[in-house]
Amino acid sequence: MEKGLQVAIDGPASSGKSTVAKIIAKRFGYVYCDTGAMYRSVTWAALENGINVNDTKQVIDLARRIKITFEPGQPDQRVFVDGHEVTKEIRTEKIAANVSAVAAIPEVRAQMVEQQRQIAQTGGIVMDGRDIGTTVLPNAQVKVFLVASAHERARRRYEENLQKGLATQSLDELEAAIKLRDQKDSTRKVSPLTQAKDAILIDTTSLTIDQVVDEISALIKKNQDN
Ligand code: CDP
Ligand code: CDP
């Protein structure tokens, strides 16, 4: 039987991580874990409870109290906070604007990383985020770092918002918001967004989803044969 590998997919916002991660997981029968959804869920819970995301102590207490769970769903995996479905609410621009502050808190990260490692124990896993190859699964057999120009990523997010019926900012506003979030995620002290030394860089700016999926699938097959 083929081994179930650990596949780590990192990169900035809208580089295509979750889209390709979901397809890869399905293709290889692996579990998919969207770690960004976990930080978004803590952010949602903070805002819902009237907690300022810069009030570190309160956010840490909250992250320890809440239970984030996933269930299979179409087209997106369903996400729950203490049994309440937040799948759609965590994708709003309000959450996107606040999530980097929450994700910069070391204690919140420690809490999330522990849960992510537990999920990864199941065997074949595709996990996407910012620090999977560097921190969460440093021994992952396949590590990729997806990038694309900020302009192209804003265009993708704009189209996605329209398709999902989410309220959207203009293209220029989205590009500015994405650049700001990248900057915050890349410069934080703990586990900043950075390419692991042994990760393969894929620039998806002018690649189709299928091309990216094929490139990562080839890496997985090569590792399965080893
Ligand atoms: O989908 P998108 O790329 O917009 O973001 P996401 O993957 O849902 O992640 C939302 C935010 O969570 C990021 O901007 C990071 O601040 C944080 N995050 C993180 O710090 N570490 C991860 N492993 C995943 C997400
Ligand atoms: O997870 P992440 O924020 O990195 O990006 P995503 O949510 O997977 O991708 C954002 C949007 O870009 C989705 O609507 C994808 O269909 C689209 N996309 C694309 O058009 N071309 C690619 N090569 C990858 C993603």
Side-chain angles (χ1 to χ4, degrees):
M1 212 180 99
E2 279 160 349
K3 300 185 276 180
L5 304 181
Q6 290 186 338
V7 182
I9 303 183
D10 290 301
S14 277
S15 51
K17 303 180 297 296
S18 59
T19 305
V20 299
K22 273 181 251 178
I23 301 172
I24 299 268
K26 206 166 167 201
R27 187 177 279 188
F28 289 87
Y30 290 181
V31 169
Y32 166 58
C33 177
D34 175 357
T35 64
M38 297 172 76
Y39 293 97
R40 285 173 179 267
S41 294
V42 178
T43 309
W44 175 86
L47 298 181
E48 192 70 6
N49 285 284
I51 295 171
N52 184 320
V53 292
N54 296 307
D55 186 340
T56 308
K57 194 180 166 302
Q58 288 229 54
V59 178
I60 295 169
D61 284 349
L62 178 77
R64 289 194 177 126
R65 270 200 321 270
I66 60 171
K67 190 164 169 52
I68 303 164
T69 48
F70 293 100
E71 275 182 26
Q74 278 304 328
D76 292 324
Q77 201 169 44
R78 298 172 72 194
V79 190
F80 298 81
V81 172
D82 293 333
H84 173 89
E85 180 159 16
V86 295
T87 314
K88 209 164 174 182
E89 283 109 311
I90 60 170
R91 300 292 156 199
T92 62
E93 281 152 22
K94 188 167 179 204
I95 299 292
N98 285 282
V99 64
S100 294
V102 169
I105 304 172
E107 292 86 346
V108 171
R109 300 201 70 81
Q111 186 82 13
M112 298 300 123
V113 170
E114 194 186 312
Q115 289 178 35
Q116 290 154 12
R117 287 185 180 144
Q118 265 169 25
I119 294 171
Q121 280 175 358
T122 48
I125 178 108
V126 186
M127 195 172 274
D128 80 327
R130 302 291 187 286
D131 60 341
I132 312 306
T134 54
T135 307
V136 183
L137 305 174
N139 299 321
Q141 295 88 345
V142 177
K143 293 184 187 179
V144 290
F145 196 79
L146 301 186
V147 294
S149 72
H151 184 74
E152 169 62 12
R153 291 187 287 124
R155 192 197 63 76
R156 289 178 186 172
R157 188 50 54 97
Y158 184 76
E159 292 293 329
E160 193 182 13
N161 285 344
L162 290 185
Q163 265 175 25
K164 289 187 175 168
L166 292 168
T168 190
Q169 293 168 305
S170 70
L171 260 176
D172 285 349
E173 283 166 338
L174 271 177
E175 187 172 334
I178 279 180
K179 280 181 174 164
L180 182 65
R181 188 145 60 93
D182 287 352
Q183 197 252 340
K184 285 184 188 162
D185 290 343
S186 309
T187 54
R188 68 175 174 232
K189 287 207 179 78
V190 183
S191 304
L193 166 67
T194 177
Q195 183 184 345
K197 283 197 187 75
D198 50 351
I200 309 280
L201 180 74
I202 305 177
D203 186 341
T204 75
T205 308
S206 51
L207 296 183
T208 64
I209 292 165
D210 284 348
Q211 286 172 320
V212 183
V213 168
D214 286 348
E215 225 174 287
I216 301 174
S217 295
L219 292 172
I220 295 175
K221 285 190 191 126
K222 207 171 106 192
N223 269 275
Q224 279 176 330
D225 295 341
N226 285 341

